[in-house]
Amino acid sequence: MTAAAATVGLRPGAFIAKAAVGAARAFAAQRNGAAVRTSGQVEILIAEVRELRRLLGNVAGNINDVARHANSTGELGNNADTVLTYTRKINSRIDVWLVEQLRRGAL
């Protein structure tokens, strides 16, 4: 127990508590007919969502830059097409990911 707890950076008591809560949630979900996910699967989903949030932050920053330039000069600027292409690419990536997660029952 001590070694397992150490691998995830928890003390043994916290590790046991986390494992018990996870088991209780899985049991409740199974009783309700929901898909049961392991903590590893949840962590993978969280990491993917964090990456998508980071990409959306990039998109927002780029769009703000285009808007700032357009507001100050009255023109879109040379990089507006690049920003729009990037925005479409990221939106498509997010759509594909969400649809895949829904098909797999992960969300």
Side-chain angles (χ1 to χ4, degrees), residues 36-52:
V36 178
R37 291 171 199 63
T38 66
S39 62
Q41 290 169 320
V42 171
E43 287 178 20
I44 289 169
L45 281 172
I46 289 170
E48 290 173 352
V49 169
R50 282 186 182 137
E51 174 63 9
L52 294 174

Side-chain angles (χ1 to χ4, degrees), residues 50-60 86 90 93:
R50 282 186 182 137
E51 174 63 9
L52 294 174
R53 287 180 64 196
R54 184 189 69 77
L55 292 172
L56 282 173
N58 290 347
V59 167
Y86 180 74
I90 297 305
R93 179 176 171 183

Side-chain angles (χ1 to χ4, degrees), residues 80-100:
D81 287 338
T82 304
V83 169
L84 184 56
T85 299
Y86 180 74
T87 301
R88 287 181 179 143
K89 177 182 169 186
I90 297 305
N91 284 341
S92 178
R93 179 176 171 183
I94 291 169
D95 288 346
V96 166
W97 183 83
L98 285 171
V99 168
E100 179 62 27

Side-chain angles (χ1 to χ4, degrees), residues 2-86:
T2 303
T7 63
V8 292
L10 295 174
R11 291 184 175 171
F15 179 80
I16 292 168
K18 184 176 181 177
V21 169
R25 285 184 179 154
F27 177 75
Q30 196 171 30
R31 283 188 55 202
N32 294 328
V36 178
R37 291 171 199 63
T38 66
S39 62
Q41 290 169 320
V42 171
E43 287 178 20
I44 289 169
L45 281 172
I46 289 170
E48 290 173 352
V49 169
R50 282 186 182 137
E51 174 63 9
L52 294 174
R53 287 180 64 196
R54 184 189 69 77
L55 292 172
L56 282 173
N58 290 347
V59 167
N62 290 338
I63 290 173
N64 281 337
D65 290 344
V66 169
R68 187 178 308 111
H69 179 75
N71 287 333
S72 66
T73 67
E75 298 176 1
L76 284 178
N78 296 335
N79 66 342
D81 287 338
T82 304
V83 169
L84 184 56
T85 299
Y86 180 74

